[in-house]
Amino acid sequence: MPSYTVTIATGNQWFAGTDDYIYITLVGTERCSERTLLDKPLYNDFERGAIDSYDVTVGENLGDIVLVKIEKKKYWMHDDWYCRYITVKTPCGEYLEFPCFRWLVDDKEVVLRDGQARLPQDDKTSLVKQHRQKELDNRRKTYRWKEWQPGFPMSIDANRHKDLPRDIQFDSEKGVDFILNYSKAIENLFVNQFMHMFQSSWSDFVDFERIFVRIKNTISEYVMQHWKEDFMFGYQFLNGCNPVMIRKCIKLPDKFPVTDEMVSVSLEREMTLEEEIKAGNVYIVDYEVLEGITPNATDPCTLQYLAAPICLLYKNAQNKILPIAIQLGQTPGEDNPIFLPTDGQYDWLLAKIWVRSADFQHHQTITHLLKTHLMSEVFGIAMYRQLPAVHPVYKLLLPHIRFTIAINTKAREQLICECGIFDKANATGGGGHVQLVQKAMKNLTFRSLCFPDMIKSRGVDDKEELPTYFYRDDGYKVWEATKSFVSDVVRIYYTSDEKVKGDEEIQAFVKDVCSFGMQDFDHCEFPKSLKTREELIEYLTMVIFTASAQHAAVNFGQYDWCSWIPNAPSTMRRPPPNQKGLADVNLIIESLPDRGRSSWHLGAVWALSQFQENELYLGMYPDEHFIEKPVKEAMEKFRKKLAEITSIIKRRNEGKKLPYYNMSPDKIPNSVAV
């Protein structure tokens, strides 16, 4: 009688093994095998990390094996099992691969297709078409959209991490417990003695060093030494945590009436301000989105304040970006003066601190939370709902949404919820962060997530004009490498534009993102359909880049740039000054966060800057969802290109006091997972 050899690999993560009964059924084009219990006498089957083989004997040949059905039944008590893959050796010696990479929980069954990726129009038999549709029907019941807050991108319908489908949960929930991690960070940083000292101000700038931990090979100590200097202030708009705000000033806005007389002493080329603007040497940063946001009022003992400043920047003869004028509100007037470098040193310093605080709020809530975390979750949910496991785009995107829905659910559970950690130290806590996302959503477009378009729209794409904009330069390289990889994979399966138009699943995916994930907001300009391979390539490049490179660029430098509290105050405890000549050291210290809030802030930026244990970096795909040789070759080509980029960045950084490595591929995780 014909015999098939079935080999099953159990996952390596904690608790991946099982003592439950595992049954298999092989489904062929001619007939099915009997439901067979996989069990060896006197042997502990399906242990963590094990690879076990079994013989399945059948009465007659089954024909071509098209599906494998795996069932798990309770032995003593339910014991979850993570199956990596199954291979089947046929009686004629042929090997078939069936990738799984999912959890079987309770009395669950999983039906697997072989590992070859297929578009829906490539499936010809009713058996595989039905399997494809049934998988999507089940997924849509499991992965449901939910509006967490009005005006937000839609999120997963789950209130707690433990309510999520097992396949998208963290392997260990303890590892992503924000409260536990922040408390641990505060303890490791030796600042736990200060964490409950709310309302207690520091005595002076040097006093902040009591919670500042010097760590070799980081930028943080250099920031501490130079944070007051104008060059350091300007440099951060290019290569700091929030390098997405600076834009070329084409014309001064009416609301910011800076005159040539005010700034002439700061200009170095013997030109007027208007001439400098025409020459392309003037840039502007505007935090208009912060106007009208309600400041944190969760602590009745501490009033907290926000501002919506505008800052004018000048590129001097040495190509350094320097601030030359700051207005702390959006409406000009006597009570909203324009601060200048020629003002008293503390007036100018306090104005810069207010800009840095506004930048921190924008970075955390818009650049980081909204434009990487929440957007990646939208792509992930739509992917699960509309693309079956056999679809090549599902296989391509899956590593790039790994743990994203889980980390966001945990954040909604502990971090950005009412009375969450965000409320403890941030000026936009207590609901301001919600208002900020709602306002920012009105300007979030598809094009604003495409890296080259985002750079060009701000007029900062010319490398000769801004030669030290490393975020831009490295981002271009990683975008192009990612796009080349995506193009290689897309062209393997889509041999023409007609194939894209005829793929009902990929069309449903992009429509789900726009119509549900983005709630069909008219202004978002997300496509509802894709007509060409080029459109599909750009779309998928944007999804992968957002989840990997863009998130890395705005997340992992947080300790570097934000651990010195005066450089990135998470809140301000005095209102912005409405006239000049008032500022002194005491006013600045009383404005900056107190000891307790400083400690929570430090714990947060430390915890957020840590890579995950066993992190998977860009281009690392240990789970072999693709089995085709051309795709594996494309992956290898991608990895080589990323290694080249890493080497280029490493060489450029050698000897630099301010190295930029947040876009270095060896420091870019595949997905948003922290």
Side-chain angles (χ1 to χ4, degrees):
M1 289 194 295
S3 180
Y4 295 79
T5 301
V6 174
T7 301
I8 299 182
T10 297
N12 288 305
Q13 57 269 68
W14 288 104
F15 312 114
T18 187
D19 289 326
D20 283 356
Y21 297 113
I22 304 297
Y23 297 87
I24 193 167
T25 305
L26 304 179
V27 181
T29 50
E30 300 294 325
R31 56 189 61 81
C32 299
S33 71
E34 294 287 327
R35 177 174 179 261
T36 305
L37 174 65
L38 301 178
D39 184 40
K40 296 178 189 173
L42 304 175
Y43 177 75
N44 202 346
D45 306 274
F46 311 112
E47 286 289 281
R48 174 187 169 203
I51 297 176
D52 301 312
S53 294
Y54 305 87
D55 290 329
V56 176
T57 304
V58 296
E60 297 179 72
N61 197 296
L62 305 178
D64 295 332
I65 304 297
V66 288
L67 301 172
V68 169
K69 182 162 85 170
I70 293 285
E71 298 171 77
K72 184 175 78 67
K73 297 295 180 184
K74 183 169 72 172
Y75 168 63
W76 178 250
M77 54 187 292
H78 282 303
D79 190 12
D80 296 351
W81 176 49
Y82 186 86
C83 175
R84 295 190 70 236
Y85 62 82
I86 296 170
T87 60
V88 177
K89 182 184 176 185
T90 66
C92 61
E94 182 185 8
Y95 283 88
L96 304 172
E97 296 180 49
F98 294 82
C100 182
F101 302 106
R102 65 184 82 167
W103 288 93
L104 280 77
V105 298
D106 302 330
D107 286 343
K108 183 181 178 181
E109 68 175 45
V110 170
V111 181
L112 304 174
R113 292 273 300 265
D114 74 276
Q116 187 175 338
R118 292 180 181 86
L119 301 177
Q121 57 264 50
D122 296 337
D123 280 344
K124 303 303 180 189
T125 68
S126 59
L127 181 66
V128 291
K129 285 181 179 178
Q130 286 169 9
H131 171 264
R132 196 172 191 125
Q133 189 57 49
K134 186 178 179 183
E135 181 183 6
L136 288 178
D137 290 343
N138 289 335
R139 290 250 210 91
R140 286 168 193 150
K141 291 174 188 171
T142 305
Y143 296 87
R144 302 174 304 277
W145 294 109
K146 179 183 179 182
E147 184 180 63
W148 185 66
Q149 294 284 353
F152 268 51
M154 295 284 265
S155 53
I156 195 77
D157 184 7
N159 293 325
R160 297 166 299 178
H161 179 267
K162 65 181 182 181
D163 299 333
L164 292 170
R166 185 70 181 88
D167 283 328
I168 61 170
Q169 289 183 24
F170 280 101
D171 296 332
S172 167
E173 188 175 358
K174 185 180 175 184
V176 288
D177 188 296
F178 284 109
I179 294 171
L180 188 68
N181 287 353
Y182 283 24
S183 300
K184 199 186 298 178
I186 286 165
E187 189 176 331
N188 290 343
L189 295 166
F190 304 107
V191 296
N192 44 337
Q193 59 180 310
F194 302 112
M195 65 181 291
H196 301 298
M197 295 174 69
F198 292 93
Q199 292 86 52
S200 172
S201 294
W202 302 96
S203 57
D204 52 31
F205 295 131
V206 176
D207 205 19
F208 279 99
E209 292 189 45
R210 293 176 67 184
I211 63 164
F212 184 76
V213 180
R214 287 169 173 75
I215 298 170
K216 284 187 177 178
N217 306 319
T218 68
I219 291 164
S220 54
E221 191 160 353
Y222 194 82
V223 172
M224 181 195 75
Q225 293 164 352
H226 297 279
W227 70 281
K228 293 180 185 177
E229 298 170 37
D230 286 355
F231 93 88
M232 176 60 84
F233 178 87
Y235 179 84
Q236 292 178 73
F237 291 112
L238 299 177
N239 302 311
C241 263
N242 197 29
V244 301
M245 292 297 292
I246 186 170
R247 61 176 58 244
K248 184 175 282 188
C249 182
I250 307 300
K251 179 182 179 295
L252 272 176
D254 293 339
K255 65 182 180 179
F256 193 26
V258 180
T259 65
D260 182 59
E261 189 179 21
M262 288 179 184
V263 299
S264 59
V265 70
S266 298
L267 308 179
E268 299 181 1
R269 295 180 179 86
E270 296 184 359
M271 292 195 286
T272 65
L273 177 60
E274 192 174 337
E275 288 168 342
E276 292 277 18
I277 289 172
K278 282 181 182 172
N281 297 321
V282 180
Y283 297 83
I284 193 167
V285 177
D286 188 351
Y287 297 93
E288 184 180 12
V289 70
L290 281 162
E291 188 176 30
I293 300 298
T294 307
N296 192 337
T298 57
D299 180 357
C301 299
T302 303
L303 291 176
Q304 298 178 62
Y305 298 90
L306 288 165
I310 313 171
C311 180
L312 204 63
L313 300 161
Y314 175 64
K315 183 184 74 172
N316 73 4
Q318 290 77 46
N319 288 320
K320 287 183 179 176
I321 297 294
L322 302 173
I324 57 172
I326 293 171
Q327 183 177 285
L328 297 181
Q330 292 288 309
T331 307
E334 285 186 19
D335 60 349
N336 188 19
I338 295 174
F339 292 92
L340 306 166
T342 50
D343 293 336
Q345 69 172 108
Y346 293 117
D347 279 342
W348 182 236
L349 181 60
L350 183 56
K352 289 191 293 180
I353 289 171
W354 269 102
V355 174
R356 294 296 309 136
S357 186
D359 192 72
F360 179 84
Q361 309 305 333
H362 185 284
H363 164 259
Q364 289 291 7
T365 306
I366 299 174
T367 308
H368 184 204
L369 173 63
L370 171 60
K371 291 190 174 179
T372 62
H373 278 259
L374 300 184
M375 287 312 305
S376 291
E377 180 175 6
V378 165
F379 302 136
I381 297 169
M383 181 201 76
Y384 279 115
R385 288 171 52 81
Q386 305 300 342
L387 301 177
V390 73
H391 198 290
V393 173
Y394 176 89
K395 292 170 181 273
L396 178 67
L397 293 186
L398 189 62
H400 300 287
I401 56 95
R402 176 177 177 256
F403 298 147
T404 300
I405 300 172
I407 195 71
N408 287 0
T409 303
K410 203 71 186 167
R412 287 187 287 269
E413 193 181 338
Q414 292 185 327
L415 191 62
I416 58 174
C417 56
E418 191 174 348
C419 302
I421 292 173
F422 210 78
D423 289 358
K424 287 187 182 295
N426 284 17
T428 51
H433 60 301
V434 173
Q435 297 171 9
L436 201 47
V437 169
Q438 290 164 336
K439 282 185 79 172
M441 275 292 286
K442 292 172 183 171
N443 295 313
L444 194 157
T445 64
F446 174 77
R447 287 280 148 217
S448 71
L449 296 177
C450 295
F451 188 81
D453 295 88
M454 180 264 284
I455 294 290
K456 194 166 188 178
S457 70
R458 293 188 285 113
V460 291
D461 50 317
D462 191 321
K463 293 187 181 184
E464 289 186 10
E465 289 186 356
L466 287 175
T468 59
Y469 197 5
F470 305 130
Y471 162 76
R472 172 203 59 204
D473 299 343
D474 299 352
Y476 274 148
K477 291 183 182 76
V478 176
W479 174 275
E480 287 305 319
T482 304
K483 188 177 181 182
S484 177
F485 167 58
V486 170
S487 178
D488 288 346
V489 175
V490 163
R491 291 177 193 281
I492 291 168
Y493 300 99
Y494 296 91
T495 52
S496 67
D497 292 342
E498 293 303 314
K499 282 265 194 179
V500 175
K501 284 190 268 192
D503 183 347
E504 58 191 28
E505 290 169 352
I506 206 70
Q507 301 299 340
F509 165 68
V510 297
K511 188 175 182 184
D512 213 17
V513 167
C514 181
S515 298
F516 287 91
M518 297 301 289
Q519 301 202 53
D520 229 348
F521 292 133
D522 292 336
H523 54 263
C524 77
E525 299 171 4
F526 272 68
K528 288 187 179 179
S529 65
L530 300 173
K531 298 179 177 61
T532 66
R533 289 185 292 177
E534 281 306 315
E535 288 178 0
L536 177 59
I537 289 163
E538 182 182 52
Y539 195 107
L540 299 179
T541 302
M542 179 274 292
V543 172
I544 294 172
F545 187 89
T546 298
S548 56
Q550 182 61 17
H551 178 256
V554 303
N555 181 73
F556 292 103
Q558 289 188 76
Y559 189 80
D560 282 346
W561 294 103
C562 303
S563 57
W564 180 246
I565 307 294
N567 187 59
S570 60
T571 190
M572 297 292 276
R573 297 180 298 138
R574 292 288 182 274
N578 57 12
Q579 63 184 87
K580 298 184 182 184
L582 295 179
D584 57 17
V585 171
N586 288 337
L587 177 61
I588 295 176
I589 293 296
E590 287 169 8
S591 299
L592 290 168
D594 56 39
R595 295 168 192 250
R597 288 178 177 83
S598 297
S599 299
W600 274 102
H601 167 91
L602 194 64
V605 298
W606 169 265
L608 289 169
S609 300
Q610 304 308 302
F611 293 102
Q612 292 277 326
E613 194 178 350
N614 303 318
E615 190 74 79
L616 296 177
Y617 295 97
L618 191 56
M620 292 171 62
Y621 303 117
D623 291 353
E624 294 194 13
H625 294 276
F626 284 106
I627 65 167
E628 294 93 324
K629 189 177 178 184
V631 182
K632 292 184 178 182
E633 288 171 350
M635 287 177 176
E636 188 54 37
K637 177 182 161 189
F638 184 36
R639 281 189 284 269
K640 283 182 179 175
K641 184 62 184 173
L642 293 173
E644 286 174 21
I645 296 169
T646 298
S647 297
I648 291 168
I649 292 171
K650 190 175 180 182
R651 281 197 301 272
R652 181 199 66 209
N653 284 336
E654 283 174 3
K656 276 192 173 14
K657 291 177 181 174
L658 283 173
Y660 185 75
Y661 44 75
N662 292 335
M663 277 275 198
S664 183
D666 62 334
K667 296 184 187 300
I668 298 176
N670 267 331
S671 63
V672 177
V674 65

